[in-house]
Amino acid sequence: MNHSPAPSAVPPPGTGWWLSTPARIGFVVAVPLLGLINQYLGFLALIAAIVLVWKDSSWQKGAKVAATIGAMALLGAVLPDPPEKGSADAVAQEDPKDTARTVTSLSSSAAQDEPSRAPKPRPRAADYRGMRLDEARDKAEAAGFGVGDHNASDDDKSIWMRSNWTVCFQKTGWTWAQRKTIDFGAVQAGTPCPDTDGGAIPWPAMPELTWKTWKSARKEVLALDVVPAEHVRADTAYLNDTLPDEGRYDNWRVCVTDPVEGADATAGTWVTVELTHPENGCPDPRSSEGDKAGLPDRDDDGDPDYRDPFPGDRSRNTTFPNGFPDSRGSSSGGGGGGDGDGWNCPRTRWC
């Protein structure tokens, strides 16, 4: 009677040690041991044991099946029991609000146990607002600050010549190396500060000045605190009128302003105020068609009638009350015209 040969404990020459019978038995025994440590390690060991038992093995089929079932039983014996259905449902139905309250409570407890970590306060600095930017930078650097600056308005102009800029805002802080810093927000000199850093410049509007005196109107324009005094100039509202010497037209009245009422008055604005003598009133803007109107001048000598001492005498005006000079420097008298030795005015309006 022929019998199958018993499994050889020693693999044929040239075969790996892991294919020996002791190695196969060892892998089967290692399954529950590794399963006690970690169920995933036990599962991997089970796979390895099954492969070794069945691959190139001289064992009988019954022995292979028995080893496989045994390895699986050993792993199952050491694995933890699965949670009961009631427990899983309880976890699944847990109120999220209760969980949030629990987490909040734990966080509060942890926060109470740990020492408070308040943010480091910003370094204190002198108030540099209103100072020239270059001076503010020098003083802040002398106080140990690292200094930066930027345009505080919304016009995106770069800062050149810091002596022409004024500080509106300042903010202190720390670098990563714990050096104190300060950043200045500035606007050009003569410009009002915006309400917030990076906001629009709140330029004042031209006031309503019609029929106010020159003295009063000039005062109101300068009170805007953006237009320099040398940028406010007086002119006549009528084409053929002339302003008297400075100081003698303080009571003349305003007819027109440029810029007009309500327009922005900026640092670079030139304001022209057109004046009239109170006796003349203002010209009708509809009759001039864009050009200045003229005052009545009956003798057409360049002097409006209201200030011409000789309104009917073309040969005399306020400049030449004794008559226009002739070519020899003498006056032509009150008769106008004259002979060939009189006033020489060919092709002029005086003849």
Side-chain angles (χ1 to χ4, degrees), residues 226-313:
V226 293
V227 181
E230 60 271 18
H231 284 198
V232 185
R233 57 184 293 270
D235 195 5
T236 57
Y238 289 97
L239 182 62
N240 59 343
D241 205 0
T242 304
L243 289 174
D245 294 337
E246 187 173 356
R248 299 183 63 184
Y249 54 86
D250 287 349
N251 292 326
W252 282 37
R253 301 288 177 159
V254 178
C255 292
V256 179
T257 62
D258 181 24
V260 298
E261 175 192 355
D264 284 348
T266 68
T269 300
W270 285 81
V271 177
T272 300
V273 182
E274 296 185 2
L275 305 172
T276 183
H277 191 282
E279 295 179 2
N280 297 323
C282 291
D284 185 353
R286 295 172 299 177
S287 62
S288 60
E289 298 182 355
D291 296 326
K292 282 188 178 181
L295 288 168
D297 183 10
R298 285 176 292 171
D299 55 12
D300 199 26
D301 62 356
D303 268 350
D305 291 344
Y306 84 95
R307 60 183 179 87
D308 190 349
F310 316 102
D313 189 346

Side-chain angles (χ1 to χ4, degrees), residues 70-96:
M72 296 174 64
L74 291 173
L75 178 61
V78 299
L79 292 180
D81 294 333
E84 297 181 1
K85 185 177 184 301
S87 301
D89 291 343
V91 173
Q93 296 174 4
E94 185 176 359
D95 190 349

Side-chain angles (χ1 to χ4, degrees), residues 97-111:
K97 295 181 179 179
D98 293 339
T99 303
R101 282 195 290 269
T102 302
V103 172
T104 303
S105 177
L106 292 174
S107 300
S108 301
S109 301

Side-chain angles (χ1 to χ4, degrees), residues 7-12 15-27 52-53 55-59:
S8 175
V10 180
T15 305
W17 64 268
W18 54 89
L19 295 178
S20 65
T21 298
R24 291 186 172 98
I25 296 174
F27 269 94
L52 292 176
V53 166
K55 179 178 175 59
D56 299 330
S57 174
S58 60
W59 292 8

Side-chain angles (χ1 to χ4, degrees), residues 67-158:
T68 301
I69 295 174
M72 296 174 64
L74 291 173
L75 178 61
V78 299
L79 292 180
D81 294 333
E84 297 181 1
K85 185 177 184 301
S87 301
D89 291 343
V91 173
Q93 296 174 4
E94 185 176 359
D95 190 349
K97 295 181 179 179
D98 293 339
T99 303
R101 282 195 290 269
T102 302
V103 172
T104 303
S105 177
L106 292 174
S107 300
S108 301
S109 301
Q112 292 175 358
D113 293 339
E114 294 182 1
S116 59
R117 297 178 181 177
K120 188 175 183 178
R122 296 182 181 276
R124 297 176 63 87
D127 189 354
Y128 300 104
R129 291 173 297 178
M131 294 180 60
R132 265 177 28 189
L133 179 57
D134 59 331
E135 295 178 351
R137 287 181 61 95
D138 290 343
K139 291 181 179 295
E141 287 173 354
F145 285 90
V147 183
D149 55 48
H150 65 276
N151 188 338
S153 73
D154 61 352
D155 60 13
D156 296 328
K157 289 182 180 178
S158 299

